[in-house]
Amino acid sequence: MELAAVASVVVEKLKMSDEITDKTVIEEALIKMQRVIADTNEEQRNSDEFKSWAEKCLRSLYYVEDTVESFTLGIARQNRKWGFLMNHSLVPKNLMPCQKLRRKIKRIPSDIKRVIDEKPKGTDKQHACSNGTTTNMGDQNRAMAQCSYATIPESDEEELVLEVDRKPLRLDREKQAKLMSTNKPLRCSSDKSVRLDRETEARLMYTNSYADEELEMFDIRQEVHDLVKRLIKTADKGRARIVEIAGELGSGKTTLARAVYGRREIKKHFKSGCAWVTISKESNKSDVLQNLLKQLGESKDAVDLATNELETRLLKWLIGKNYLIVLDDVQSDQMWEGLKSVFLDNRNGSILLLITTTVNPMYCVSPPNNIQKKTLTEEYCWNLFLKKAGWATWEEGKERQVVKQRVLNVCCGLPLNTVLLGSMLSTVGDDIRFDYLQNILRINWKTKDIVSVSYMNLPDHLKLCVLYLVLFPKEYDIPVRRLFRLWLSEGFVNPKEDKFPEDVVQENFDNLVKRSLIQISKFRSDGSPRRCRLLGVLHDYLLPKAQNIRLFHVHCSAYSTKDSFPLNVRRLVEHASSKNIYSDASRFEHLRSYLSFNFQRKDTPATEVGILLSRVITKGFGLLRVLDLEGVYKPSLPENLGDLFHLRYLGLRWTFLDALPSSVGDLPYLETLDVKHTNINNLPTSMWKSKKLRHLNLSHIRLDMPKHSDTDSLPTLLTLWGLSVDDDSPVKNGLDRLCNLREAGITFCLKNCDHLLNWISKLTSIQSLRLRSINDVGHPSHFGDEPLSLSSLSNLSHLNLLGVLPNLPEYMPQGLKVVTLSLSKLTEDPMPILGKLEHLNVLRLLSDSYMGKEMVCPQEGFKELRVLKIWKLKNLEKWNVEEAAMEKLKEINIRCCNKLMSIPERLWKKPSLRELIITNMPEEFKQSVITFMRCQDLILTFKDYDLTPLPWEDADHTSDESHTNE
C-alpha cells in the first residue's frame, strides 16, 4: 500500500534529521502508525471508512515531514544570519523564531496517536502474510509460499514493519565522509496523464535500440522483417496508406512497432521524416497535431493556433512528402474520426501506422494492411516463462504438468503476461519457487492481475522508484543517468552500510529491470542501458496509485487558473506556461520538486521559472529538493537561489544559460549540478566548499579553485565531467585533492601535463575516464613524453583518449570494456596489447589513432569484443585476423580508410557477425564486400557523406607537427 511507503519515508527522513533532539518519541509514534496501517487486508481497505481514515493518516504524515523540514530550514537560516552567535551559550534559545516549530514538533506524537485511535473498528485484523519478495527470501518467503493468491496483492506491509524495526544506520566519521547521507522525501500530488508537446521530447523519444536477443525473446524477428517490407512496399504505391496493428493488451503491438520504427531501412526509405505519438485517454486532437508538427519540423508558433489551423498547417506540410507517422494506442473512434482526414488524401508514398486495441478502422485499411498481432505458441511461451523465472529445467510429473498448463492458461500466449509472471518468480528462492507458483495460480487471472501482483510484490522503497516513473509522459524514453540522480535527490535510496548510494540505486534499477517493470529502450554500444521506460500498461495501472498519495501535479494547460490549480502542491511537473498561477505562492508552500518539460519555444527565455522560485523564496518556504529544467530555454533563476537550503538537484542541461547565480555555491546539500550544453563559462569559487556535491557535469568550463585551502575541496565528488584545465588551473594542491572520482572528463591545454597525469594515475576508484589534450588553438596535442600510467586503475571500464600518445601503455586495466582512441598517432600496432583485454566489448580506433600500414589481431585475442569501429586510418593497407580471434564480434564499422582494400576473410566466417557499416570507402573495397555478402546473412549499409575537414585536417593548415604543444 502506498500509504505505508509514505510512512516509511517519513520515518527514514526523521532518523537523518540531526536538528530534531527529541525525535525518538516521534519515530515510535510513526512506527505504530505503520503497523496499524499494515494490520488491514485488501477487502477492509476498500471500505469508505478506511479510505477516510487513510486520508487523515496521509495528511498527518505530510504534516510531520513539513514541520521537520521547515524546522531544519529555520535553523539553517538562523545560523546563516547570526553566525557564531548561534552557538554562544548566552543566546537565549527561546528567543529564536523556530520556537513555534519546536512546539509543533512536541505535539506530533499526541497528534499521531489521535489519528491512530480514530481508525474504524473492524479493520484491525492482521493481514495473513507478506509477499515482499526480495533476492534474500529466507523464512519470510516460506510463509509467503503458503498464502493464497487472494492475500498477495496487498500483503507487503509486513515487510515494511520489518524494515522499520531495523536500527537506524550509524557510521563513524570516516565512513560518513566517504558515504553520502540519504534522506528520503515524501510524495507529492498528482493529476492526469499529459500530452507530449515538446520538440526536444519528441526528438528523444523512440530512439530505440533493440538487441537481437530481445527480438528473439519476444519471437518477433520475422514479424519485424515482414512489417518493414510491407511498409516500404505499401509506401511505394504512391498514395498515403494506413497500416493497422491490432491485438490484445500485452500482446506486444507497441514492441513490434518500435522495433520496426528504429530500423535503418525505414529511416532511409522515409526521407521526409518519421514521427511517433502516443495518445493517452486525456489527449485531444490539438495535442496530437501539435506533437506531429513539432516532430516534423513545423512547430513555430503552433502553440498559439486553434485546432483547425493546426490541421491546415499539417495538411500543407504533408502534401507531396514521404513520411511515416505512428499513432500509438488510438483508443476511441472519436479520436480516429478527427484525425483521419489529415492523412487519407496525401500522396507520394506516405504511411500512417496505427497501433490499437479497441478501434478498428477497417473501412480505411486494406485487408493485407490490417495486421493482427499474433500470440506466442505454447512451446515458445513456456520456454520464455522458464527463462524469465530462472528455471534451467522443469521436472515432469502429473502435478507439474497441471501447473504448467495453468501457467499457459494464465499467460494466454501474451508476451507481457509471460514476462511479468516469469520475472516475478525469478526473485523467489529456488527452494520455494514451485510452491509459491502453485499458490498464486489458484484463481483465474487477467493481465491486470499479473500487473498488480508484480507491483505489489515490491518492497516499499522500490514501489516509490516505480511510482516516480509515472511522472514522465507515457511511453517516454528516460535517460538512465537522469533517473538515477533524481532518485538519489528525491531520497529513494535506503541506506546500506559501506555502500555508496549510487551503487544502491544501481541495484534498485537492476532489480526492477529483472522484474521487467522497467524496460530498457536504448542500449549503449557496450550493452549498458542508456534510456529506459515504463510500459504503457504499467503507467495506466500506477497512475491512480500516484494520485492516491498525491505524488505530483501535472500542469499541462496554458489556460489554467488559480481555481483549477490545487493547493499545497508537493511536486510540480510543468508542460505548459501560465504566469497567472504563480502569483499565489501559498500554493507552493510545501513544494519539494519542480520539473519543467515546457520548452516549446527556443527564442523566448522561460521567465515563469524565476517568477515561481522568487515568490517561493521570498515567502520563506524553500523546501525544494529538486529543480530539473533540462531542455528549458534560458530559464530565469533568481539571485537568491542559495536560499533553497534543501536543494539537492539542479539540472540545467541543454538550457543554454549564460550564467549561474553566484549564490548557487551556498547550497549546503546540493548533490547534483548539471550545466552540460550551456553557455556557462565559470562557477562560483564557493562551489569548492561544498561538502555534499557528488555529480558535477560541466560544458568545458575552467574552474577557479582555491589554492592551499585548509579544508578538503569537494570531498564527496564522484563525477567531474566537462572540465577544462590550463596552466593557470591548480592541479597540485588543487585538483589532486579530488581522490574519490568515478567519472572524469577532462580537456587540458598544458605545457607540462605531468602533474595532471600523475593525479589521474592515483584515481583508483575511477570507472570512466575521458582525456583530451589540446594546444592553445584547440588542435590535438601531446600527452607528454612518458607512457600513461593506468595499471593502478583496476576499476576503469571506459577509456577515451584524444591526443598524441608516445605509445600505448603496455599494462592496461583488465576491466576495460570500452576503449576509444583518437589522433593518438601510434606507430606500433595497438592490437597485440588491446587483444589481451578479456572484457573489452567495444573498440573504436578513430582518426589517425594508428599510423601504420598493417594491423594484426592476435590469435585468440579480443574474446569479448562485440563492436569494432575503424575510422580515418589513412595509412592502413592490410588487416589480418588470426585464428580464434574476435569470436563474438557482431558489428564492424569502417569509415574513410582509403588504402584498405578488404576485410579479413576470417571475419566473414564468424557466425556472430550481424552488421557491417561502410562509409566513404573506395569502390574496390565496396565490391569486395559485395562479393563476400552473396553468401552471408548480414545487414549491410553503405554510406557516403561530404565530411567537412576538421581545422587540423585542412590542407591549408600547418603540418602534423603543429599538433604538438611545445
Side-chain angles (χ1 to χ4, degrees):
M1 184 181 183
E2 289 68 40
L3 184 60
V6 173
S8 67
V9 169
V10 178
V11 170
E12 200 62 49
K13 290 183 74 174
L14 183 64
K15 290 177 180 179
M16 305 301 293
S17 299
D18 295 332
E19 294 85 355
I20 310 299
T21 56
D22 48 356
K23 59 185 178 182
T24 305
V25 180
I26 304 176
E27 286 182 28
E28 292 173 352
L30 287 172
I31 291 171
K32 183 177 181 180
M33 176 181 281
Q34 286 180 282
R35 288 172 173 161
V36 172
I37 293 170
D39 288 348
T40 54
N41 59 33
E42 183 179 11
E43 181 180 354
Q44 293 161 344
R45 288 180 187 145
N46 289 330
S47 68
D48 293 337
E49 294 84 359
F50 180 84
K51 291 178 180 178
S52 177
W53 177 77
E55 178 63 26
K56 292 180 181 179
C57 287
L58 186 65
R59 289 199 301 267
S60 180
L61 291 169
Y62 284 153
Y63 175 81
V64 174
E65 182 199 35
D66 295 338
T67 304
V68 169
E69 294 197 351
S70 295
F71 180 78
T72 58
L73 176 64
I75 292 292
R77 286 176 172 167
Q78 285 181 167
N79 287 338
R80 182 174 296 179
K81 182 176 181 180
W82 298 104
F84 73 95
L85 290 177
M86 289 300 300
N87 296 321
H88 201 282
S89 59
L90 297 179
V91 177
K93 304 298 183 184
N94 58 358
L95 295 181
M96 297 180 186
C98 287
Q99 283 306 306
K100 183 177 179 181
L101 287 171
R102 287 184 186 275
R103 290 192 292 270
K104 284 186 176 181
I105 290 173
K106 288 182 179 180
R107 292 199 302 266
I108 285 175
S110 59
D111 292 341
I112 294 175
K113 183 179 183 302
R114 184 171 61 253
V115 173
I116 293 174
D117 292 341
E118 292 177 2
K119 182 180 179 182
K121 294 182 179 180
T123 62
D124 56 351
K125 181 180 178 181
Q126 174 66 37
H127 198 47
C129 67
S130 168
N131 79 316
T133 56
T134 64
T135 54
N136 182 16
M137 306 303 294
D139 293 336
Q140 184 178 337
N141 269 352
R142 297 184 187 279
M144 176 181 60
Q146 300 172 3
C147 302
S148 66
Y149 165 76
T151 65
I152 288 177
E154 293 284 343
S155 63
D156 54 288
E157 291 78 16
E158 195 167 289
E159 179 184 354
L160 170 68
V161 176
L162 295 175
E163 289 289 325
V164 250
D165 280 342
R166 294 177 182 170
K167 294 182 179 179
L169 181 64
R170 302 296 183 196
L171 303 177
D172 58 38
R173 291 187 177 182
E174 182 179 351
K175 291 178 180 177
Q176 284 179 337
K178 186 178 179 182
L179 303 180
M180 183 186 76
S181 60
T182 54
N183 298 344
K184 292 187 178 182
L186 288 182
R187 311 304 114 219
C188 306
S189 59
S190 177
D191 199 80
K192 295 180 178 180
S193 184
V194 299
R195 65 186 180 182
L196 308 179
D197 60 352
R198 308 177 301 138
E199 181 177 1
T200 302
E201 175 180 296
R203 189 168 65 245
L204 293 179
M205 290 182 65
Y206 313 110
T207 54
N208 304 309
S209 173
Y210 283 88
D212 292 333
E213 291 83 355
E214 289 187 315
L215 299 183
E216 295 291 350
M217 178 180 294
F218 295 103
D219 196 24
I220 60 173
R221 179 180 294 278
Q222 189 60 44
E223 289 182 86
V224 170
H225 180 266
D226 293 344
L227 185 51
V228 168
K229 288 179 58 177
R230 180 170 297 282
L231 292 178
I232 293 175
K233 180 180 179 181
T234 302
D236 286 341
K237 294 181 179 179
R239 181 183 180 87
R241 300 293 180 120
I242 299 175
V243 176
E244 178 190 19
I245 305 177
E248 296 180 60
L249 189 70
S251 60
K253 305 180 296 297
T254 301
T255 300
L256 169 62
R258 285 201 200 102
V260 170
Y261 187 81
R263 302 290 283 198
R264 285 194 177 97
E265 305 97 297
I266 292 295
K267 303 296 183 184
K268 183 177 179 180
H269 185 87
F270 294 98
K271 295 181 174 60
S272 296
C274 300
W276 183 305
V277 180
T278 298
I279 302 175
S280 67
K281 293 179 181 179
E282 292 78 22
S283 298
N284 55 43
K285 182 178 179 180
S286 178
D287 297 337
V288 177
L289 296 177
Q290 282 197 36
N291 196 328
L292 286 173
L293 286 169
K294 290 178 187 300
Q295 294 189 55
L296 298 174
E298 284 292 305
S299 61
K300 187 176 181 180
D301 301 324
V303 68
D304 301 319
L305 298 180
T307 303
N308 61 330
E309 294 173 313
L310 291 170
E311 182 173 350
T312 300
R313 177 177 290 191
L314 186 59
L315 274 168
K316 184 178 179 180
W317 191 92
L318 293 177
I319 290 175
K321 298 286 178 42
N322 165 260
Y323 60 85
L324 171 67
I325 292 177
V326 182
L327 298 182
D328 185 15
D329 203 15
V330 182
Q331 300 186 28
S332 70
D333 292 300
Q334 182 180 3
M335 173 65 75
W336 169 240
E337 288 294 326
L339 291 172
K340 68 179 183 180
S341 60
V342 180
F343 306 103
L344 295 185
D345 295 328
N346 291 290
R347 297 180 180 274
N348 209 26
S350 298
I351 292 288
L352 176 66
L353 181 60
L354 289 176
I355 306 173
T356 176
T357 303
T358 57
V359 179
N360 189 13
M362 285 294 295
Y363 52 89
C364 296
V365 183
S366 57
N369 289 340
N370 182 262
I371 301 169
Q372 294 295 318
K373 181 66 182 73
K374 66 180 182 180
T375 57
L376 304 174
T377 65
E378 285 198 349
E379 180 182 3
Y380 198 96
C381 179
W382 179 246
N383 290 333
L384 177 59
F385 169 78
L386 291 180
K387 181 177 180 180
K388 281 293 183 179
W391 264 308
T393 58
W394 180 263
E395 298 176 8
E396 297 298 331
K398 184 176 181 180
E399 183 183 28
R400 294 254 173 176
Q401 187 60 35
V402 171
V403 172
K404 175 180 177 180
Q405 191 57 49
R406 187 78 184 96
V407 168
L408 293 174
N409 293 341
V410 166
C411 294
C412 301
L414 299 176
L416 177 66
N417 290 6
T418 309
V419 168
L420 283 181
L421 183 60
S423 298
M424 182 175 64
L425 265 292
S426 70
T427 65
V428 182
D430 293 342
D431 55 337
I432 62 168
R433 188 176 298 158
F434 180 73
D435 293 334
Y436 181 62
L437 177 60
Q438 280 186 304
N439 282 295
I440 64 176
L441 292 175
R442 288 184 177 178
I443 68 167
N444 293 322
W445 282 40
K446 298 179 181 178
T447 298
K448 65 178 182 180
D449 297 322
I450 298 179
V451 172
S452 175
V453 174
S454 297
Y455 167 72
M456 296 309 301
N457 197 22
L458 293 171
D460 284 314
H461 66 279
L462 290 185
K463 287 182 184 176
L464 297 176
C465 291
V466 174
L467 280 176
Y468 194 76
L469 296 178
V470 185
L471 176 151
F472 295 92
K474 189 176 180 180
E475 297 287 354
Y476 179 68
D477 282 343
I478 308 166
V480 173
R481 171 264 317 164
R482 185 180 185 183
L483 180 63
F484 279 19
R485 295 182 186 177
L486 284 170
W487 275 350
L488 282 166
S489 300
E490 297 281 9
F492 291 175
V493 181
N494 49 324
K496 292 187 178 181
E497 189 171 1
D498 292 332
K499 275 197 174 183
F500 280 90
E502 287 76 8
D503 295 330
V504 180
V505 167
Q506 182 70 59
E507 291 175 1
N508 292 349
F509 181 81
D510 293 342
N511 194 330
L512 292 170
V513 170
K514 182 179 181 181
R515 294 169 182 264
S516 299
L517 293 175
I518 289 181
Q519 182 184 46
I520 307 302
S521 55
K522 186 174 182 63
F523 295 87
R524 294 184 177 90
S525 55
D526 65 343
S528 62
R530 185 168 188 169
R531 296 186 183 276
C532 66
R533 68 157 56 90
L534 187 68
L535 291 175
V537 175
L538 285 166
H539 192 286
D540 292 340
Y541 170 77
L542 293 174
L543 182 58
K545 295 184 176 296
Q547 291 172 330
N548 287 340
I549 59 171
R550 296 189 289 279
L551 181 63
F552 54 83
H553 168 75
V554 175
H555 166 52
C556 57
S557 173
Y559 307 102
S560 294
T561 63
K562 295 179 186 178
D563 293 336
S564 63
F565 208 83
L567 292 170
N568 295 326
V569 175
R570 307 184 75 81
R571 192 175 272 110
L572 176 62
V573 184
E574 187 182 57
H575 288 260
S577 302
S578 184
K579 296 181 182 180
N580 61 341
I581 66 171
Y582 298 135
S583 58
D584 185 5
S586 63
R587 296 174 181 270
F588 306 103
E589 179 178 357
H590 303 125
L591 189 67
R592 295 308 197 283
S593 302
Y594 178 83
L595 296 90
S596 180
F597 298 119
N598 177 34
F599 32 98
Q600 303 173 47
R601 302 181 63 160
K602 296 298 180 185
D603 55 351
T604 305
T607 57
E608 295 84 357
V609 178
I611 295 172
L612 172 62
L613 295 177
S614 295
R615 288 179 175 157
V616 165
I617 295 173
T618 302
K619 290 291 184 180
F621 301 148
L623 300 181
L624 201 70
R625 295 174 67 95
V626 169
L627 181 57
D628 187 354
L629 305 174
E630 186 167 322
V632 177
Y633 182 71
K634 291 193 174 182
S636 174
L637 299 179
E639 283 301 320
N640 56 348
L641 188 70
D643 288 342
L644 294 174
F645 174 79
H646 287 289
L647 195 66
R648 264 79 171 168
Y649 182 102
L650 182 55
L652 302 172
R653 183 174 293 211
W654 289 111
T655 59
F656 301 101
L657 272 176
D658 298 314
L660 276 176
S662 59
S663 63
V664 73
D666 299 328
L667 296 166
Y669 286 100
L670 189 65
E671 298 170 354
T672 294
L673 176 60
D674 192 338
V675 295
K676 193 174 181 179
H677 301 302
T678 66
N679 300 322
I680 296 170
N681 54 29
N682 62 75
L683 296 181
T685 306
S686 56
M687 286 298 306
W688 296 98
K689 299 177 183 179
S690 175
K691 300 300 182 185
K692 299 289 185 180
L693 192 65
R694 302 180 73 80
H695 305 285
L696 181 58
N697 290 81
L698 309 173
S699 195
H700 302 294
I701 295 176
R702 178 188 174 279
L703 298 178
D704 294 320
M705 299 183 64
K707 296 182 179 180
H708 306 289
S709 174
D710 293 333
T711 58
D712 291 336
S713 298
L714 303 176
T716 60
L717 196 67
L718 300 179
T719 301
L720 178 58
W721 203 265
L723 176 69
S724 289
V725 176
D726 57 26
D727 286 318
D728 293 327
S729 304
V731 176
K732 191 174 183 180
N733 295 322
L735 277 176
D736 59 2
R737 294 178 185 173
L738 307 179
C739 54
N740 294 319
L741 290 180
R742 289 183 166 196
E743 298 180 54
I746 301 172
T747 299
F748 57 93
C749 177
L750 298 169
K751 293 179 181 178
N752 187 324
C753 54
D754 290 346
H755 285 311
L756 178 72
L757 298 181
N758 182 56
W759 164 56
I760 294 294
S761 68
K762 296 177 181 178
L763 295 176
T764 55
S765 297
I766 200 78
Q767 297 172 357
S768 180
L769 176 64
R770 186 183 72 185
L771 295 176
R772 296 177 175 179
S773 178
I774 62 173
N775 59 21
D776 53 5
V777 293
H779 293 184
S781 183
H782 278 268
F783 272 84
D785 298 327
E786 297 297 325
L788 287 177
S789 176
L790 303 175
S791 58
S792 62
L793 309 185
S794 58
N795 292 304
L796 187 64
S797 62
H798 290 64
L799 177 65
N800 187 323
L801 301 176
L802 184 150
V804 182
L805 295 170
N807 52 52
L808 198 63
E810 184 175 354
Y811 299 102
M812 302 278 280
Q814 285 302 303
L816 278 171
K817 295 180 179 179
V818 179
V819 173
T820 304
L821 301 178
S822 304
L823 295 152
S824 308
K825 296 189 178 293
L826 296 171
T827 55
E828 295 184 11
D829 185 1
M831 291 309 198
I833 293 177
L834 296 173
K836 296 177 183 178
L837 300 175
E838 295 189 355
H839 301 285
L840 190 65
N841 294 147
V842 180
L843 175 60
R844 305 185 186 101
L845 297 178
L846 307 184
S847 180
D848 288 345
S849 55
Y850 173 51
M851 306 303 292
K853 295 182 178 181
E854 184 175 357
M855 188 166 67
V856 180
C857 299
Q859 183 176 357
E860 296 184 357
F862 299 100
K863 293 182 178 180
E864 295 295 326
L865 192 69
R866 262 72 169 178
V867 178
L868 176 63
K869 294 188 178 183
I870 303 175
W871 289 7
K872 294 188 176 182
L873 303 188
K874 59 187 179 184
N875 296 330
L876 184 64
E877 298 177 3
K878 186 177 180 181
W879 176 18
N880 183 32
V881 175
E882 295 183 348
E883 186 177 356
M886 298 185 174
E887 290 294 291
K888 296 183 179 180
L889 191 64
K890 288 186 176 182
E891 177 187 325
I892 301 175
N893 189 318
I894 301 177
R895 173 183 294 188
C896 300
C897 297
N898 294 329
K899 294 184 179 181
L900 184 63
M901 291 296 101
S902 64
I903 294 175
E905 183 177 351
R906 188 170 270 123
L907 287 182
W908 292 110
K909 301 176 182 179
K910 303 291 183 186
S912 60
L913 191 62
R914 298 289 179 85
E915 187 168 8
L916 186 60
I917 304 170
I918 306 298
T919 305
N920 288 26
M921 289 295 288
E923 194 62 34
E924 182 180 349
F925 182 91
K926 293 180 182 179
Q927 290 303 318
S928 71
V929 169
I930 293 173
T931 301
F932 278 109
M933 280 290 294
R934 291 171 182 167
C935 56
Q936 300 291 326
D937 182 19
L938 295 176
I939 300 173
L940 174 62
T941 304
F942 285 120
K943 299 179 181 180
D944 287 288
Y945 298 133
D946 291 328
L947 299 173
T948 303
L950 296 171
W952 53 85
E953 297 174 327
D954 197 318
D956 293 334
H957 283 264
T958 53
S959 67
D960 290 340
E961 293 302 318
S962 66
H963 299 169
T964 64
N965 187 10
E966 300 296 334

